[in-house]
Amino acid sequence: MTAWLSLMATGVLVSLAGALVRIWRGPGRADRMTGAQLAGTSGVAVLMLLAPVEGWAALDVAAILALFGALAAVGFVKALSADGGGDPEEDDVDPAPLTGDRDG
């Protein structure tokens, strides 16, 4: 059983090479962030596969890594939006909420 889990973890680590290429070459920020998300997900998968082999404390580390990955994705989307609201497809920002003047 441990040999099978170790083999699967090695396979996930090999697939991590694709994520690292995407992070390195881009071409855009969203592509790099997608690669970083894949790298984080692969890290969680490796830790979960190796938890029975190396020690069950690896599951705690995997949960924390998954949480950090989700927070990084939210931060990335908020950083790309024009007003920090989190909608990167929003073209123009309505200045009325900032000034309180909607009628002119």
Side-chain angles (χ1 to χ4, degrees):
M1 180 72 170
T2 59
W4 175 252
L5 290 174
S6 298
L7 180 67
M8 295 306 294
T10 304
V12 171
L13 284 175
V14 168
S15 72
L16 182 66
L20 294 177
V21 167
R22 182 54 50 201
I23 292 170
W24 181 262
R25 299 191 68 191
R29 292 184 288 182
D31 296 318
R32 288 188 170 100
M33 187 62 193
T34 302
Q37 287 292 312
L38 180 60
T41 303
S42 298
V44 169
V46 167
L47 287 171
M48 290 179 71
L49 285 169
L50 292 180
V53 178
E54 298 296 325
W56 291 102
L59 287 179
D60 295 335
V61 177
I64 292 170
L65 183 60
L67 177 66
F68 283 158
L71 292 175
V74 170
F76 176 75
V77 169
K78 289 184 82 56
L80 279 187
S81 63
D83 62 349
D87 188 6
E89 295 176 358
E90 188 176 73
D91 288 333
D92 31 304
V93 178
D94 185 17
L98 299 176
T99 61
D101 185 67
R102 200 168 270 288
D103 295 328

